[in-house]
Amino acid sequence: MLNKFLFTRIDNASLTVFRVIFGFLIAAEAFGAIFTGWVKRALIDPKFTFNFIGLDFLQPLPGNGMYFYFALMGLFGLLVMLGYKYRFSMAGFTIMWAGVYFMQKNSYNNHYYLLLLLCLLMLLVPASRYFSLDALKKPSFKKVSMPQWCKWLIILQVWIVYTYASIAKLYPDWLDLSVAKMLMQSKADYFLIGGLLQERWVHFFITYTGILFDLLIVPLLLIKRTRKWAFFASIFFHLFNSFVFQIGIFPYMSLAFSLFFFEPKTIRDLFLKKKELYTANEIEIPNYKNALLFFGSIYFIIQILLPLRHWVIKDNVLWTEEGHRLSWRMMLRGKSGIITFKLVNHTTGKTHFVNLRDYLSRKQQKIVATKPDVIWQFAQYLKKEYQEKGEEISVYATASKVSVNGSEYEAFVKPEVDLAKEPWHYFKHEEWIYPYHPK
């Protein structure tokens, strides 16, 4: 039964078309980051970036190096789209995108994490066997079919993302429309629809369709009777997100996932009319079966368990951020904060307050006030800077207060704790964060 489910060969039209769209979109993401100024704002202008903890060696290239970095990523994306030296091109983009993802947290986005996972999955599947320069160059490489596990690899990943995104919304501030209202307030100046987005019924619609769409879209796409209507709902949902939230390529990537839900003949007739339709449905059990089952099981167990880790970490993830990343907690809250860093120099005996503008960009100043890991990293940065001058310091976060979803500001970091001497715990609560007491 498992062999039939995973290793039955099916037509590869969906994967072929997805590869073309995927390559185009990742190229657009890379080139767009240059031309919209994102590379300059996020990676060139700041003196340093807040990387994922433990990856301190990941910092942007000096000068204009990051422009060339993203241009090369864009080139790899185009090569993926064309199917030229596919594995090499896909690997090149994946490694470089991982570098960007892990070297900065200023613009952390669950979609960036999803793109990294998709890159890894696309490395595994035979996506360039048809309608590619690789197949044109070497006709014996060309195939019109693929094992069925290639389709389910993508579907299961997407299913996990949507399901956790829906479950994460089941908390009071989302259910009472507070989050939707807060998100729409910044859109009030939008042409034509700005005023409409402030209406309470729109907030209700956004809140509850968001929960239902994320929870039901994959099952409805899998059922033939509801597939067409689910696809139309997807078009509306993702285009709305694209226009209102301006989140780059990801609404279009999400629409492209639909290719794996429709019948191969439908995809072939729409996009690859000259392609031979594969209907033999042969079962071919490969030599790598056991490795695929072993590593595939581990991968999906991690994907299922990792978003649950915040339940075993003390206090509320909305407050502490511990367990927030890599967990599909998308557009769930708004946070604002204030913070002052007091530096005690034990070598000179002097004490002073740090001027954040001397070190951080405007966006970095915002996240350093609300995210404990960034607060800790900044303290370590200051410690290292003074150590290089032969001086020993202590760093205290004073006057630290945070507001979640427009609530009253509460004390956030305990001011008596020397953050320069604190270790970081990856899967444990940091006791120097005050408990959350929502009012």
Side-chain angles (χ1 to χ4, degrees):
M1 188 71 177
L2 185 61
N3 287 341
K4 182 178 179 181
F5 178 73
L6 294 176
F7 302 114
T8 297
R9 296 197 70 84
I10 59 174
D11 190 274
N12 63 359
S14 58
L15 182 59
T16 300
V17 177
F18 183 79
R19 186 208 79 231
V20 174
I21 296 173
F22 184 78
F24 172 79
L25 290 176
I26 61 177
E29 179 71 20
F31 290 130
I34 297 173
F35 293 114
T36 61
W38 185 90
V39 172
K40 184 176 187 298
R41 293 191 304 272
L43 300 171
I44 293 178
D45 287 347
K47 292 183 177 180
F48 66 96
T49 62
F50 291 108
N51 51 268
F52 275 58
I53 292 175
L55 300 175
D56 296 341
F57 64 93
L58 284 177
Q59 285 293 312
L61 297 174
N64 292 323
M66 294 310 295
Y67 287 132
F68 297 103
Y69 187 100
F70 272 77
L72 181 56
M73 276 206 302
L75 176 60
F76 279 136
L78 292 177
L79 294 178
V80 168
M81 180 182 74
L82 296 172
Y84 180 70
K85 296 190 180 298
Y86 173 74
R87 300 284 186 190
F88 173 80
S89 301
M90 192 68 255
F93 184 91
T94 302
I95 293 169
M96 297 185 77
W97 182 257
V100 173
Y101 178 74
F102 289 119
M103 79 168 57
Q104 62 84 31
K105 291 187 286 193
N106 284 13
S107 301
Y108 176 83
N109 191 315
N110 277 283
H111 295 141
Y112 296 160
Y113 172 46
L114 176 58
L115 179 53
L116 179 57
L117 295 180
L118 288 174
C119 285
L120 294 172
L121 298 183
M122 288 297 286
L123 263 173
L124 297 177
V125 296
S128 64
R129 291 288 188 146
Y130 189 85
F131 197 62
S132 69
L133 293 180
D134 287 345
L136 183 65
K137 183 180 178 182
K138 187 179 179 182
S140 62
F141 181 75
K142 179 179 176 181
K143 286 198 175 186
V144 295
S145 66
M146 66 180 181
Q148 190 162 240
W149 64 261
C150 298
K151 176 183 82 169
W152 284 104
L153 197 65
I154 304 295
I155 290 176
L156 287 175
Q157 179 64 75
V158 173
W159 203 340
I160 289 170
V161 172
Y162 278 123
T163 301
Y164 276 118
S166 177
I167 293 172
K169 292 180 175 68
L170 300 177
Y171 84 100
D173 284 0
W174 184 274
L175 297 175
D176 70 7
L177 314 188
S178 297
V179 175
K181 180 181 179 181
M182 177 190 64
L183 290 173
M184 293 304 108
Q185 283 175 345
S186 62
K187 321 296 181 186
D189 60 348
Y190 276 22
F191 179 66
L192 290 180
I193 65 168
L196 180 65
L197 294 176
Q198 310 312 309
E199 296 289 336
R200 185 170 176 80
W201 70 266
V202 174
H203 302 159
F204 183 90
F205 180 79
I206 291 171
T207 296
Y208 288 95
T209 56
I211 294 172
L212 292 174
F213 179 88
D214 289 346
L215 185 65
L216 299 176
I217 188 59
V218 171
L220 292 178
L221 283 170
L222 286 171
I223 299 171
K224 189 173 182 179
R225 291 180 60 184
T226 56
R227 184 173 298 144
K228 181 174 68 174
W229 299 109
F231 179 62
F232 289 146
S234 293
I235 294 174
F236 174 81
F237 181 84
H238 292 302
L239 290 183
F240 177 86
N241 282 343
S242 178
F243 181 75
V244 173
F245 296 109
Q246 299 174 12
I247 48 178
I249 67 171
F250 295 97
Y252 308 98
M253 187 80 76
S254 298
L255 284 174
F257 293 143
S258 302
L259 290 163
F260 295 102
F261 294 90
F262 285 91
E263 295 298 324
K265 185 177 185 304
T266 303
I267 304 303
R268 198 267 329 237
D269 291 346
L270 283 172
F271 299 103
L272 300 168
K273 293 183 179 180
K274 294 182 179 180
K275 180 183 181 297
E276 174 190 344
L277 181 65
Y278 177 84
T279 58
N281 294 327
E282 295 176 312
I283 299 175
E284 293 184 9
I285 301 175
N287 295 329
Y288 58 78
K289 171 189 171 182
N290 291 336
L292 179 71
L293 293 176
F294 177 75
F295 289 107
S297 298
I298 291 176
Y299 175 82
F300 282 110
I301 287 171
I302 292 173
Q303 285 298 304
I304 290 169
L305 294 181
L306 196 61
L308 299 174
R309 70 191 187 280
H310 70 88
W311 291 108
V312 297
I313 299 176
K314 183 179 176 181
D315 215 333
N316 191 325
V317 62
L318 291 170
W319 177 252
T320 68
E321 301 281 324
E322 295 163 337
H324 172 77
R325 293 190 180 92
L326 317 183
S327 298
W328 314 120
R329 301 178 56 79
M330 295 179 269
M331 290 190 288
L332 287 178
R333 80 284 187 263
K335 296 177 75 173
S336 58
I338 55 175
I339 194 168
T340 302
F341 288 90
K342 183 175 76 171
L343 192 152
V344 178
N345 193 317
H346 301 291
T347 305
T348 65
K350 294 181 179 179
T351 297
H352 75 274
F353 290 93
V354 177
N355 186 344
L356 294 182
R357 287 177 294 182
D358 291 340
Y359 292 92
L360 307 177
S361 68
R362 184 174 297 178
K363 191 167 187 178
Q364 287 177 322
Q365 291 175 48
K366 290 181 179 179
I367 67 169
V368 83
T370 60
K371 295 181 169 32
D373 59 329
V374 178
I375 293 172
W376 180 86
Q377 282 180 284
F378 186 56
Q380 303 307 306
Y381 178 87
L382 293 172
K383 175 183 177 181
K384 182 179 179 181
E385 179 186 63
Y386 278 83
Q387 279 181 338
E388 291 174 351
K389 296 188 292 186
E391 299 176 8
E392 182 186 352
I393 65 167
S394 292
V395 181
Y396 302 92
T398 61
S400 173
K401 293 185 178 182
V402 166
S403 167
V404 180
N405 295 335
S407 64
E408 293 183 17
Y409 280 85
E410 294 184 55
F412 191 46
V413 177
K414 296 177 182 178
E416 71 275 10
V417 175
D418 180 4
L419 296 174
K421 291 182 172 60
E422 285 292 313
W424 181 258
H425 305 96
Y426 289 92
F427 296 98
K428 185 180 175 183
H429 176 63
E430 302 299 338
E431 296 296 340
W432 42 266
I433 304 172
Y434 275 116
Y436 185 38
H437 299 296
K439 297 179 176 62

